[in-house]
Amino acid sequence: MSQSNNEAGKPVLARLQHLMTLREEVETLAHGGPWTPAADWRDAGTHLELLLDVPGVDPASLALEEDGGQLTVSGERQDAAGEGRPLLSRERPSGRFSRLLSFPEPVRPESGDATLVGGVLTVRFEKLHPTINVTAHPAPGNG
């Protein structure tokens, strides 16, 4: 039983596509590669705080998008070579980034409040079920 030319070519085309994808990945790595800013979640009692390292990122390029239990943060850091001076070596990543982060606890939708100080983006979210510390004191006269 013979295969049609279209069916016979599928494995070859799939291998070529795989090779092209690998080539693009190698080229990306050679140019500093895509970058992913480091992120931490911090419990702040009634709020959750996201801390994201974004030094050198243009604040106008930062975008936050909340979708259910996840948050997407994206932005862009310009390439230092774009300043008209040739780079002699390159270690700092540049270009666009996008992080998809899951909330460690449920938060109130659209409650995020962002600040950018010293290259650290801090976003505070109100917890849906906040933890409130209560200290009990004996009532006066019940000593």
Side-chain angles (χ1 to χ4, degrees):
M1 183 172 199
S2 68
Q3 295 181 342
S4 69
N5 286 342
N6 191 24
E7 290 177 9
K10 281 186 179 179
V12 172
L13 291 176
R15 287 193 305 254
L16 284 174
Q17 180 61 42
H18 182 71
L19 287 172
M20 291 301 291
T21 302
L22 287 174
R23 185 181 137 246
E24 289 172 4
E25 290 174 3
V26 168
E27 286 177 357
T28 300
L29 290 173
H31 292 97
W35 70 292
T36 303
D40 292 329
W41 285 103
R42 181 167 57 190
D43 187 334
T46 59
H47 289 77
L48 286 179
E49 293 178 338
L50 170 66
L51 292 90
L52 194 75
D53 290 342
V54 291
V57 171
D58 178 8
S61 76
L62 288 170
L64 294 107
E65 187 175 323
E66 200 177 318
D67 185 19
Q70 297 183 318
L71 176 71
T72 301
V73 182
S74 60
E76 184 172 7
R77 180 164 54 198
Q78 293 298 317
D79 189 340
E83 296 176 3
R85 298 181 190 144
L87 286 177
L88 301 177
S89 69
R90 165 181 257 148
E91 293 183 6
R92 299 173 43 227
S94 61
R96 294 211 45 80
F97 74 87
S98 183
R99 289 279 325 248
L100 179 63
L101 301 153
S102 295
F103 290 107
E105 294 182 35
V107 299
R108 292 209 182 279
E110 301 180 21
S111 66
D113 182 38
T115 58
L116 179 63
V117 177
V120 177
L121 176 67
T122 303
V123 190
R124 286 177 54 92
F125 296 92
E126 187 179 340
K127 287 183 183 179
L128 193 57
H129 307 288
T131 303
I132 301 173
N133 294 329
V134 177
T135 304
H137 297 285
N142 289 343

